Amino acid sequence: MITEEQPQTTGPTGLSRHVQRLLTRLRAFDTRHPWVWDATVTLTWAVAALVDAAGGWRNTAPEPSLPTWFVTALSLGFTLPLYWRRRHPMAALAVMACASLASDASGAFLQASYLQMLPVFHLALVRPPRALLWSLALIAPPLVTGALRFSRETWDQRVIPVLWAYALVALLGIAVRARRDHTAGLVDRARRLEIERDQEVRLAAAAERTRIAREMHDIIGHNLSVITGLADGGRYAAAKNPERAAQALDAIGTTSREALGELRRLLGVLRDDEREAVRDPQPTLADLDTLITGVRKAGLPVLLDIRDEPTAQPLAPGAQLTVYRVVQEALTNTLKHAGQGAKATVLLTSTPAEVRVEITDTGTAKAPPGQGQGLTGMRERAALYDGTLDCGPLPTGGWAVRLRLPREGSPS
């Protein structure tokens, strides 16, 4: 039975997704309008503290005869600083500590003193750990003062539990801070990975454009040079030997069709809608004979000399393509610039350690160095396989191109 594969989901679903969206919106609103949340928290706790100041505080106070205005002022001293607890947590805690000292020293022992946990939480959330030591210096004196002045309650009932409560709040703030920093680190890492991915894509695209430009230069430059040589030869042969002229025209047609086919295959790979573009194998050393035959038809005599040691292993396909393209480019330059009566020699030497290729000609006319992309493309191809390429005039006249490709595991 054929079943349709269900898409996998990696994010939250159902109720949790809606909760996350709501929390995200609330955080965004709080970021834009932080005063709304601060005012809401402050007003809520102020109302609760004032309700307690109306008389409920006397149920736990050692000194229930304190005036109402004094208790009300202490309640406001505990709640109003909450408005600045996120921006200035230490200052808010200092003001609340003064109210706590007055509350414990007078015997009011207001429950609103526990609101000091909120600035302590924000201290642990945004300030360095040493700030918690200063907060302990603000929280402990009121507790000690109340325990010494009203000794009905023992220290382990009045001081130690409160300090433990503040310590747990501080640990909670540290945990939230660690989780927030970890999340921020993951987000930053994801952002940097995305940037690196985009950079790699751009670099890969640039490298691919360079490779395509190099391939098109080699294909078009070589075939056009061969066609030019055949056309020139056919023009001279037309007056004396029409049959040779017809052969030249046939060779021009064959070379043109081959060049057009290679360009179509190269451009077909680049088409987005060509999902199964034709990908013929790249030329190898076995195709050197075909290459040189075409150059000979264009009018350049070429001697191919291959010297292989029996222990030499075959080159990798990429390295064979490099050798092929270098020979192709060198012979193309000879066709263009060597002049009449020039001859070329291709010497290919293969050893267990390296492969050497030397292309020489007997021409006289040379293009000025540094023009065109041929030499640059040959050097780039050689560098891909840790090879070297040298070119220059020969002492006896002519031009030489020397390529050296070390085999894998051999010194460069």
Side-chain angles (χ1 to χ4, degrees):
M1 182 177 61
I2 299 176
T3 58
E4 184 177 356
E5 184 179 356
Q6 297 295 330
Q8 296 182 354
T9 58
T10 57
T13 59
L15 180 61
S16 61
R17 182 173 65 249
H18 295 293
V19 172
Q20 285 191 4
R21 289 179 179 176
L22 178 60
L23 292 177
T24 301
R25 292 178 181 177
L26 290 177
R27 292 191 190 99
F29 179 81
D30 183 53
T31 301
R32 295 192 303 267
H33 310 287
W35 64 270
V36 174
W37 177 247
D38 293 337
T40 301
V41 171
T42 302
L43 182 61
T44 300
W45 287 112
V47 171
L50 292 177
V51 169
D52 184 63
W57 63 276
R58 291 185 174 88
N59 296 327
T60 58
E63 187 63 41
S65 60
L66 294 174
T68 303
W69 66 265
F70 180 72
V71 176
T72 302
L74 291 180
S75 299
L76 295 177
F78 281 121
T79 55
L80 294 182
L82 293 177
Y83 185 80
W84 295 277
R85 75 194 185 283
R86 293 197 291 183
R87 287 166 290 177
H88 308 287
M90 185 61 73
L93 181 62
V95 174
M96 297 172 74
C98 293
S100 179
L101 181 62
S103 174
D104 288 11
S106 63
F109 282 14
L110 295 180
Q111 301 296 317
S113 63
Y114 289 104
L115 293 176
Q116 295 176 94
M117 293 182 181
L118 295 178
V120 171
F121 174 80
H122 286 284
L123 280 173
L125 193 63
V126 300
R127 295 296 176 85
R130 63 176 179 272
L132 295 175
L133 298 177
W134 290 104
S135 67
L136 178 63
L138 293 174
I139 293 172
L143 296 175
V144 174
T145 301
L148 292 176
R149 191 162 186 272
F150 302 94
S151 56
R152 290 186 309 175
E153 297 179 357
T154 59
W155 285 69
D156 57 348
Q157 292 178 337
R158 173 62 185 166
V159 179
I160 303 301
V162 177
L163 292 179
W164 270 113
Y166 284 113
L168 292 176
V169 170
L171 290 176
L172 177 62
I174 293 174
V176 173
R177 178 177 184 173
R179 182 180 181 278
R180 186 184 63 181
D181 293 343
H182 178 67
T183 303
L186 292 178
V187 172
D188 182 69
R189 182 172 179 269
R191 180 184 59 82
R192 287 188 284 106
L193 288 176
E194 185 176 357
I195 294 175
E196 291 177 2
R197 182 199 61 190
D198 294 339
Q199 291 176 347
E200 290 177 357
V201 169
R202 287 194 294 269
L203 291 175
E208 187 65 14
R209 285 195 297 268
T210 303
R211 186 190 68 82
I212 293 171
R214 187 164 55 230
E215 291 291 333
M216 294 187 69
H217 172 271
D218 293 340
I219 294 172
I220 296 175
H222 172 73
N223 287 287
L224 287 181
S225 298
V226 172
I227 291 172
T228 302
L230 290 170
D232 292 340
R235 183 183 61 184
Y236 288 113
K240 298 181 180 180
N241 192 343
E243 183 179 352
R244 295 293 301 274
Q247 293 176 358
L249 291 176
D250 291 339
I252 289 175
T254 301
T255 305
S256 300
R257 284 189 292 271
E258 291 177 355
L260 184 59
E262 291 185 16
L263 285 177
R264 283 176 176 172
R265 285 191 293 269
L266 181 61
L267 297 177
V269 175
L270 301 178
R271 292 177 57 187
D272 293 337
D273 56 348
E274 192 75 16
R275 301 187 61 180
E276 295 183 359
V278 178
R279 292 176 173 84
D280 287 353
Q282 294 283 9
T284 62
L285 296 181
D287 299 307
L288 282 178
D289 289 333
T290 304
L291 171 67
I292 292 176
T293 300
V295 174
R296 287 170 181 165
K297 290 181 180 180
L300 176 65
V302 181
L303 175 62
L304 175 61
D305 187 4
I306 299 178
R307 303 174 183 177
D308 287 337
E309 292 188 9
T311 57
Q313 297 294 326
L315 275 178
Q320 294 189 40
L321 176 63
T322 297
V323 173
Y324 180 91
R325 292 303 187 195
V326 168
V327 173
Q328 184 185 54
E329 179 64 25
L331 294 178
T332 300
N333 290 336
T334 301
L335 278 172
K336 290 180 181 178
H337 310 298
Q340 295 291 333
K343 298 180 180 180
T345 301
V346 178
L347 175 60
L348 175 62
T349 305
S350 180
T351 68
E354 62 184 8
V355 174
R356 290 184 179 272
V357 185
E358 185 176 11
I359 306 100
T360 58
D361 62 57
T362 59
T364 56
K366 291 294 178 183
Q371 293 187 356
Q373 299 181 0
L375 295 179
T376 302
M378 287 193 291
R379 289 194 174 94
E380 289 176 351
R381 289 183 182 277
L384 286 176
Y385 294 92
D386 204 15
T388 58
L389 185 134
D390 299 320
C391 56
L394 293 171
T396 57
W399 194 264
V401 176
R402 299 179 182 88
L403 170 67
R404 175 185 176 274
L405 292 181
R407 295 183 183 273
E408 293 184 4
S410 301
S412 174

